[in-house]
Amino acid sequence: MQNIIDRFISYVVIDTESDSNSETTPSTKKQWVLAEKLVQELKNIGMTEVTIDENAYIMATLPSNVDYSVPTIGFISHFDTSPDFTGTNVKPQIFPNYDGGDIILNAERNIILSPKYFKDLLQYKGQTIITTDGTTLLGADDKAGITEIVTAMEFLIKNPEIKHGKIRIGFTPDEEIGRGAHLFDVMQFDADWAYTMDGSQVGELEYENFNAAGAKITFKGKSVHPGYAKGKMINSMLIANAFINKLPKDEIPQETKGYEGFFHIHHLSGSIEETVLELIIRDHSKKKFEKRKELIAKISNKINKKFGEQFGENIVIVEIKDQYYNMKEKVLPVKHIVDIAENAMKELGIKPLIKPIRGGTDGCQLSYKGLPCPNIFAGGHNFHGKYEYVPAESMQKAVKVIIKIAQLTALKRK
């Protein structure tokens, strides 16, 4: 297990935060640092056909060691971290034999990871917990996944008696800003199906996800001296506030679960003259997803109608872009690939937790590009913030699941 811990630490200390405002791929130059390290590491452990393209997409092959035809499978993770919280100067901390109590992340700032609030921690009593120092995210999303894939490949190379077919692995940039699969060459990857190692707690196995869209809404105003503002001033911040109040108040992330969709406002900045609101739209149901987008248009049209005569033009400008769709439609016709992962977990004594993803992975978009791609746990919790942690034992279990999937896929069929 120390090998897993050391490998994971070597990845998370490298800053790979992505940037949604950048138009390049990868969106930040610093992602190249880990990408190039991974390429060299894959070569060092004995992977073949190791490639990295001009956009930092990494692919490699573990050749089959059986003399009969079996499907080519893939395992995929992303190496960028979320721009929602800083990933600069990550200082991971290791807490062996966790006792079930509070973990002091940062005494000076009184930042505590407590099972009183994060009850999932209690599942890991007696295990080795890797945390942040309370000032950054950790990066288990998804450097835990990368750790697991590389470690599993290294194990298979060192243990050739374990039979497997051809395995392809892929590491991507910019997943956290929704672009991880955009330039992924499915034809070059050349696998029958794949799995993203990008879930959370042990046992997660997911082949349903949100339909997703991002919206940028600009509110225009008119600024005049407040002493002479009667009938003249239009305060764009107040218009934005009125818009927000028209959205369903209980359809937000902190009030929903399971298949329930939501609107999530994640950025708001403005002045009297202009306010910009950014939000994401999520729903598992395609019909409800479309209705959510229609509601935004309806609210905007009402505001424009109300102020149109006074302003002379639309004061609410809406831009909505679909980001990804529910992979269920593409995975159900090949449901056996989910069954293989489920059976692998069961054979290892891991209880499968089959549930919808309340988010998305590269696998969502890859499934629509012709590479069916369910999602498997990577072991981390509390992603995108200072309370992020991962038990080393969870990563170890994920490694075993990868190996077992490879074995089950290579079973000779009668």
Side-chain angles (χ1 to χ4, degrees):
M1 189 167 69
Q2 191 60 47
N3 180 43
I4 291 174
I5 295 172
D6 292 344
R7 176 168 279 139
F8 177 69
I9 296 298
S10 76
Y11 297 160
V12 298
V13 295
I14 300 173
D15 183 3
T16 56
E17 184 178 324
S18 48
D19 179 7
S20 60
N21 295 313
S22 169
E23 295 183 358
T24 63
T25 303
S27 61
T28 52
K29 289 183 179 179
K30 54 191 174 184
Q31 290 183 61
W32 280 105
V33 178
L34 180 53
E36 290 168 352
K37 171 182 170 64
L38 289 169
V39 167
Q40 190 57 53
E41 190 167 352
L42 292 171
K43 291 177 180 178
N44 290 345
I45 67 171
M47 296 292 286
T48 66
E49 300 176 324
V50 180
T51 63
I52 182 168
D53 68 12
E54 67 275 15
N55 300 118
Y57 285 79
I58 300 167
M59 295 182 185
T61 299
L62 180 60
S64 172
N65 64 2
V66 297
D67 59 2
Y68 49 89
S69 178
V70 297
T72 297
I73 61 173
F75 294 95
I76 298 169
S77 289
H78 64 90
F79 50 77
D80 68 312
T81 60
S82 172
D84 292 345
F85 203 83
T86 182
T88 302
N89 295 322
V90 173
K91 298 180 179 67
Q93 301 185 91
I94 302 172
F95 296 89
N97 196 25
Y98 171 56
D99 64 6
D102 288 351
I103 297 175
I104 299 174
L105 301 180
N106 193 306
E108 183 181 346
R109 302 188 186 189
N110 194 33
I111 299 172
I112 299 170
L113 179 62
S114 174
K116 295 173 185 176
Y117 191 86
F118 299 107
K119 294 181 173 56
D120 287 335
L121 265 171
L122 295 176
Q123 299 177 60
Y124 306 112
K125 285 183 68 173
Q127 298 189 23
T128 298
I129 309 295
I130 306 173
T131 74
T132 74
D133 71 344
T135 63
T136 68
L137 50 67
L138 179 61
D141 180 12
D142 189 24
K143 292 168 185 175
I146 293 175
T147 299
E148 293 149 9
I149 293 171
V150 175
T151 303
M153 296 303 104
E154 183 178 42
F155 186 86
L156 289 171
I157 290 167
K158 290 181 176 179
N159 296 272
E161 72 278 6
I162 299 175
K163 301 305 178 185
H164 59 82
K166 181 179 178 181
I167 300 173
R168 291 283 279 161
I169 67 168
F171 299 143
T172 68
D174 293 339
E175 189 270 356
E176 294 292 0
I177 56 174
R179 305 180 200 163
H182 284 193
L183 299 177
F184 189 98
D185 191 333
V186 169
M187 293 293 289
Q188 181 187 346
F189 195 63
D190 194 26
D192 293 283
W193 70 83
Y195 302 93
T196 48
M197 304 299 297
D198 196 16
S200 183
Q201 75 179 78
V202 171
E204 283 189 353
L205 173 57
E206 301 151 327
Y207 64 94
E208 301 178 68
N209 61 276
F210 280 136
N211 295 289
K216 179 181 178 181
I217 306 173
T218 304
F219 301 86
K220 298 291 186 179
K222 279 191 175 179
S223 180
V224 296
H225 190 289
Y228 302 90
K230 178 71 173 179
K232 299 175 184 177
M233 178 185 287
I234 297 178
N235 190 324
S236 73
M237 293 180 286
L238 296 181
I239 305 301
N241 185 61
F243 177 94
I244 293 169
N245 286 332
K246 293 290 185 182
L247 295 174
K249 292 180 174 54
D250 59 346
E251 296 180 15
I252 54 178
Q254 57 268 46
E255 297 291 340
T256 53
K257 62 182 180 179
Y259 287 94
E260 297 170 342
F262 58 74
F263 298 95
H264 174 48
I265 297 167
H266 61 86
H267 182 80
L268 180 65
S269 62
S271 61
I272 294 172
E273 286 277 333
E274 182 177 283
T275 296
V276 176
L277 181 154
E278 293 181 47
L279 71 155
I280 59 174
I281 305 158
R282 301 288 189 266
D283 214 298
H284 280 87
S285 162
K286 190 68 182 293
K287 183 177 180 180
K288 291 180 180 179
F289 175 62
E290 296 300 330
K291 284 187 174 296
R292 289 185 183 281
K293 292 188 287 185
E294 290 170 9
L295 177 60
I296 287 178
K298 183 178 180 181
I299 297 170
S300 302
N301 290 338
K302 281 187 175 181
I303 295 174
N304 280 329
K305 185 176 180 181
K306 179 179 178 181
F307 288 92
E309 290 184 9
Q310 181 182 1
F311 202 69
E313 59 181 316
N314 287 342
I315 66 167
V316 184
I317 303 162
V318 177
E319 301 172 66
I320 299 179
K321 293 182 179 179
D322 286 358
Q323 296 168 322
Y324 51 82
Y325 303 109
N326 193 339
M327 74 169 92
K328 181 179 180 180
E329 176 184 333
K330 301 298 181 182
V331 175
L332 273 183
V334 288
K335 176 70 163 36
H336 68 280
I337 71 177
V338 179
D339 298 337
I340 290 172
E342 181 179 3
N343 290 334
M345 292 184 195
K346 287 179 177 178
E347 289 195 20
L348 293 167
I350 298 169
K351 182 180 179 181
L353 303 174
I354 301 176
K355 60 185 184 62
I357 307 171
R358 287 185 60 77
T361 69
D362 280 338
C364 310
Q365 296 180 48
L366 292 173
S367 293
Y368 278 86
K369 294 180 76 169
L371 181 67
C373 202
N375 188 47
I376 295 174
F377 71 90
H381 288 263
N382 304 338
F383 299 140
H384 300 187
K386 60 190 174 187
Y387 297 108
E388 186 181 5
Y389 71 91
V390 61
E393 288 82 354
S394 295
M395 290 192 285
Q396 190 175 43
K397 288 178 180 178
V399 170
K400 292 179 179 179
V401 169
I402 293 170
I403 294 167
K404 182 60 70 172
I405 287 173
Q407 288 179 285
L408 293 178
T409 305
L411 288 177
K412 195 167 186 177
R413 313 297 174 184
K414 293 184 180 180

